[in-house]
Amino acid sequence: MPRTYNPQLGREQSYPYEKREEERDWHWGMVINTNRCINCNTCSFACKSTWTSGEGEEYMWWMNVETEPYGGYPMGWDMRLLDDLGADRTIFEAAEEGEQVRGYVAEKEDWEYPALGDDQSHGEYPAGDVVESDPHEEEYHDMWQFYLPRLCNHCKNPACLAACPRKAIYKREEDGIVLLDQERCRGYRRCVKACPYHKPMYNPETGISEKPVGCFPRIEDGNVPRCVSSCIGKTRLHGNINRGPDAGRPNGVSSAAAGRSPINYLVKSDEKVALPLYPQFGTQPQVFYMPPFHVPPEFLTQMFTPNVEEKRNDWPGSTYEESVKIIQRRARDPSHHVLGILQLFGATTRLIETYTVKENRVKGWDRKGKKVVDMPIEEPMEVREGEQWTNQ
Ligand code: SF4
Ligand code: F3S
């Protein structure tokens, strides 16, 4: 089986498909700040009304929001697979004899309740009338829940693509979006079984499968996907994850806008604040999450880091758990630079290719070099003179 380096795991892994080794200049990516998500599902409905409102698509939610730790669509999707993988095997390395990928097909009833577990907290109500903060670590809560928006990750090692015997799934050269060619598909459903995030779905009316399309027509026009533009909590930023600090300026753009994309900074700079979901699956997902800062790090360590004891040199703490704590603190109390980038979330429907943070202003440019955002990072706060009003 071919080998490929996986930077999210910090090691080589097997991947059963000859992939393009060199990185694309432009690759679809997204950062989601879970601390801002309110589970309104505007993103889910925007996606559904755009892409999956036809016959046979009734149960298809390409975009869904789950309440952690009890929600899941399909039910139990992550725990079921993690139990099968054990300590340090990707889904490719744990494949059974004759298979390319380890996975499972969710049953019909697993798909029937996309809102199962919504708003259920983990932990017990303390006895007595007053809920007190946890004395062992005031930063974290005894009772907690958080919302996890889930979508196709347009992985760099897509399991759906590797599993299809018809080669009906491909990764676009220009932006890394993973698409399913419905003319080639014969409904084998290996993709449905293989994707550890369960995003390809079978349409019983047409007899072929469908998968999320990364809103490619909008990306081609320089706009962000519908789930990003519709998000009322301004939880998301979309863009070119591969645009690093040494990138030159786009054509016609002033030199002020040269350099990395804002999502590349959040994911890959020394100030890493966003993490991939279950990187231990080995697909190199390209949706990254700013972790919720009130949730105990033991839980998040399992969800957002490779499933191994040792820690890698490019992580900030001495263990993965310590690293997650540091990243949570950065999300709770962001640096001025990260605060500037956070203002770009939801600021425009145009796709922000480059940005600058200077003093109290953040600016963003689109792929054509047009300035699309120019705003203050912190607004002055006015304190009114005089006595506070009372009704006494
Ligand atoms: Fe394929 Fe699933 Fe990865 Fe999307 S999340 S690219 S469907 S393996
Ligand atoms: Fe291939 Fe999935 Fe169709 S495995 S044939 S793309 S159902």
Side-chain angles (χ1 to χ4, degrees), residues 71-90:
Y73 171 77
M75 215 187 299
W77 64 275
D78 46 357
M79 287 306 121
R80 247 180 103 167
L81 192 53
L82 289 169
D83 284 347
D84 284 349
L85 292 185
D88 189 20
R89 291 190 308 174
T90 66

Side-chain angles (χ1 to χ4, degrees), residues 5-11 276 279 283-286 288 306 312 315 320:
Y5 181 72
N6 182 334
Q8 292 179 356
L9 303 181
R11 69 170 172 87
T283 64
Q284 278 204 69
Q286 297 303 306
F288 301 86
R312 286 170 26 212
W315 281 68
Y320 277 119

Side-chain angles (χ1 to χ4, degrees), residues 151-161 169 178 191 194-200 211-212 283 285:
L151 59 159
C152 172
N153 294 280
H154 297 282
C155 306
K156 290 191 176 174
N157 301 340
C160 55
L161 181 156
I169 298 183
V178 178
C191 53
C195 171
Y197 303 94
H198 292 272
K199 286 301 169 185
K211 78 167 286 305
T283 64

Side-chain angles (χ1 to χ4, degrees), residues 18 20-21 56 59 62-63 69 72 83 104 107 157 163 171 181 223 244 248 269 294 332 361 366:
E18 289 296 347
R20 223 184 79 162
E21 280 308 322
Y59 74 102
W62 285 354
M63 171 75 241
D83 284 347
Y104 76 93
E107 302 294 334
N157 301 340
K171 197 164 172 62
D181 179 346
N223 293 315
S269 72
H294 65 289
R332 182 196 291 262
R361 286 205 93 74
D366 70 10

Side-chain angles (χ1 to χ4, degrees), residues 160 163-169 180-181 184-192 202 208-209:
C160 55
C164 176
R166 285 278 302 165
K167 295 201 186 318
I169 298 183
L180 189 155
D181 179 346
R184 285 194 64 78
C185 177
R186 293 289 179 273
Y188 294 154
R189 283 174 263 184
R190 301 276 178 81
C191 53
V192 176
Y202 180 68
I208 55 179
S209 291

